Amino acid sequence: MRKTFLSFLLFSIVCCASAQPLRILAGCYNDDAPALPGAVLLRFNPSDGGTEQLAAAAVRNPSFIIPSTDGRLAWSVCEFHDGTQGAYAYSLTADGLEPLGFQSNCPDGTGGGDPCNILYLAGFILTADYTGGAVSVFPVGPDGNLGPLRQRFDFGEGSHIHCCAVSPDGRYVLASDLGCDLIRRFPIQAGELPVGEPEIAYRATPGSGPRHFVFSADGRFCYLLGELGDTLTVLRYEDGALTPVQELKAYRGRGKGSADIHFSPDGRFLYTSHRLRRDGIATFRVDPQSGKVRRAGFHRTGTHPRNFAITPDGRWLLCACRDADAIELYAIRPRSGRLRRTGRVIPLHRPVCVQVL
């Protein structure tokens, strides 16, 4: 009887915790509609999938936005290639989103254009600059605002840096270079310059176009999505080195527009989004021992599913479908990991990034 009561109590606590409202950050393209807000804060109810908009910020093309770990701050890129590109800082409250400031990543008139991804690293912000291929580094002040550009690594024409992430051992920042089919490795260091000169950590299959990647929870494996080859590559990670374990077609649409990749919270499933032809999200089942994956399903979505996020309870997937002008909500089947259409959408102008706080 006591065990039954404790089990019921634990179940009730988990259910109550999972039903607590969440905040959602969304970043949108608004260069074609400057009067519309670019960054949006929403409330999400995980018990029924309901949403409401809380606040919005009149910023330009914040196409990738991230919150701080404590949820009090956020930073985003400003994606242009005409000299007005850079990064924004924001203050976050329970129901508010306020811009704090902006810094250019080309104050001298040169540098990487179209920053498309952003990373927080121990008091600094790093942007992945797609056009011209660069990584730009800004210090973060005590209030969360950004200081002037501190560091920039330029890789020249032909390079397209698409995202940066910290390695599982905390020793490196890894950056995918879509244009050169590389993953570059920057050593993390203490001091006024947070990263040192880069080296090549992995040479991808020519023409695959490395875009986004994620690590397994135990840090042993890296899962790399190739945008142009529509490939999913499993890599073993050890001491800054990446060794191929498996490579397969992530989907059969041949859109050459594979976009985003995320694990389910329990690590049993991996999801990838695909655009430009037969748009949708692929599901893979993960073998935790070998790291290898096998296909478990594919679900069609709205047009141009660029970025997506999964709620911490693993019940919901929110997909930013740029050309459908909506964030679409899908339920995740717990046993198979497959998606189920709910019919719920969050109407937004050209959403391309969604983050769960």
Side-chain angles (χ1 to χ4, degrees), residues 212-230:
H212 283 190
F213 56 92
V214 291
F215 288 94
S216 58
D218 61 11
R220 294 191 302 138
F221 299 103
C222 174
Y223 296 80
L224 172 65
L225 187 62
E227 175 174 343
L228 304 181
D230 295 322

Side-chain angles (χ1 to χ4, degrees), residues 152-300:
R152 189 176 64 218
F153 300 89
D154 294 294
F155 299 104
E157 284 192 42
S159 173
H160 298 303
I161 304 298
H162 220 301
C163 81
C164 296
V166 177
S167 63
D169 53 17
R171 295 171 55 195
Y172 303 98
V173 168
L174 300 177
S176 58
D177 189 331
L178 181 147
C180 296
D181 293 317
L182 299 173
I183 292 183
R184 301 183 185 274
R185 181 182 67 207
F186 300 77
I188 295 174
Q189 57 192 23
E192 294 187 0
L193 301 178
V195 292
E197 291 295 323
E199 301 173 324
I200 294 173
Y202 174 67
R203 295 185 184 274
T205 300
S208 61
R211 182 181 169 98
H212 283 190
F213 56 92
V214 291
F215 288 94
S216 58
D218 61 11
R220 294 191 302 138
F221 299 103
C222 174
Y223 296 80
L224 172 65
L225 187 62
E227 175 174 343
L228 304 181
D230 295 322
T231 53
L232 174 59
T233 305
V234 183
L235 303 160
R236 186 180 300 277
Y237 177 82
E238 188 174 7
D239 295 331
L242 293 163
T243 306
V245 172
Q246 179 189 20
E247 184 165 292
L248 69 160
K249 285 290 184 181
Y251 91 132
R252 297 181 174 89
R254 293 183 291 181
K256 298 183 179 181
S258 298
D260 203 12
I261 182 168
H262 292 287
F263 273 106
S264 62
D266 61 11
R268 293 189 302 138
F269 302 103
L270 186 71
Y271 299 87
T272 58
S273 63
H274 305 276
R275 312 163 293 167
L276 307 183
R277 186 175 177 180
R278 197 169 177 256
D279 295 2
I281 291 180
T283 304
F284 301 87
R285 188 178 291 272
V286 182
D287 182 327
Q289 299 304 316
S290 69
K292 292 182 178 182
V293 302
R294 59 182 175 88
R295 294 184 183 89
F298 183 84
H299 196 95
R300 297 294 295 271

Side-chain angles (χ1 to χ4, degrees), residues 268-346:
R268 293 189 302 138
F269 302 103
L270 186 71
Y271 299 87
T272 58
S273 63
H274 305 276
R275 312 163 293 167
L276 307 183
R277 186 175 177 180
R278 197 169 177 256
D279 295 2
I281 291 180
T283 304
F284 301 87
R285 188 178 291 272
V286 182
D287 182 327
Q289 299 304 316
S290 69
K292 292 182 178 182
V293 302
R294 59 182 175 88
R295 294 184 183 89
F298 183 84
H299 196 95
R300 297 294 295 271
T301 65
T303 314
H304 209 94
R306 174 158 158 160
N307 175 248
F308 64 93
I310 299 171
T311 55
D313 60 7
R315 294 178 57 200
W316 306 100
L317 184 148
L318 296 101
C319 183
C321 298
R322 187 192 71 182
D323 295 349
D325 289 327
I327 294 175
E328 298 181 342
L329 179 65
Y330 296 90
I332 299 177
R333 301 180 190 274
R335 293 187 64 183
S336 67
R338 294 187 177 186
L339 304 184
R340 177 177 61 81
R341 187 178 298 276
T342 67
R344 287 182 176 270
V345 300
I346 304 169

Side-chain angles (χ1 to χ4, degrees), residues 61 63 77-80 85-86 105 112-117 127-130:
N61 276 10
S63 62
V77 298
C78 173
E79 187 178 341
F80 287 93
Q85 64 265 23
N105 72 347
D114 293 312
C116 58
N117 194 270
T127 64
D129 306 334
Y130 184 84

Side-chain angles (χ1 to χ4, degrees), residues 73-75 87-91 99-103 120 123-125 138-148:
L73 300 165
W75 302 274
Y88 292 106
Y90 308 82
S91 171
L100 290 174
F102 169 84
Q103 287 292 341
Y120 177 81
F124 293 88
I125 284 292
F138 305 88
V140 176
D143 63 349
N145 207 351
L146 299 174

